[in-house]
Amino acid sequence: MPVWISVVFILIVATSLVAMLMQRRGRRMFGGGVDAASGYVEGTLTVTGLGRQNEPDKNGSRYCTISGTIIGPQIAPTEVYGTQVLGADDVAPTVGASMPVVYRPGKVDSTWRFGVLGD
């Protein structure tokens, strides 16, 4: 096997390991946090359905399958469905609750998540 193939493979593995370690420590290797400059906007999710409540993992995080309608600037009301991660201290959503979310206009159904824009 040529040496260059081994070198490329080692570089790919090393880059992957560095990216995983940085993500685990809460840093982002590519891109920054969510703020208005990154193209995200704030909206409100009205919860219309919830999946079964899951048990917390070893870090206290819980997965929540949720559906609802997002209302916000630059978009018509949009039906969304997805799985979100709730932290140990986060309150579990209930049907009918209004929750703050951030999303990219035009890609609401694939980019939404709980939160507000940072300064």
Side-chain angles (χ1 to χ4, degrees):
M1 171 168 40
V3 173
W4 69 270
I5 292 177
S6 299
V7 172
V8 169
F9 179 75
I10 291 170
L11 287 173
I12 290 172
V13 170
T15 304
S16 299
L17 287 173
V18 169
M20 286 188 324
L21 289 173
M22 290 183 76
Q23 181 180 10
R24 187 171 184 101
R25 292 183 180 175
R27 298 182 193 150
R28 297 184 126 195
M29 183 175 232
F30 306 105
V34 175
D35 59 17
S38 64
Y40 282 83
V41 295
E42 291 181 341
T44 302
L45 170 72
T46 302
V47 179
T48 58
L50 291 169
R52 191 183 79 205
Q53 294 294 324
N54 294 326
E55 295 296 319
D57 63 10
K58 67 179 181 176
N59 299 323
S61 297
R62 295 169 289 153
Y63 292 92
C64 176
T65 303
I66 188 168
S67 63
T69 304
I70 293 180
I71 299 172
Q74 305 174 4
I75 63 162
T78 305
E79 295 292 322
V80 295
Y81 174 85
T83 301
Q84 299 290 314
V85 178
L86 300 175
D89 299 329
D90 293 338
V91 177
T94 58
V95 174
S98 293
M99 305 190 70
V101 293
V102 293
Y103 61 88
R104 286 186 187 244
K107 298 182 180 182
V108 180
D109 53 348
S110 62
T111 62
W112 72 276
R113 60 181 176 242
F114 296 128
V116 295
L117 295 177
D119 293 327

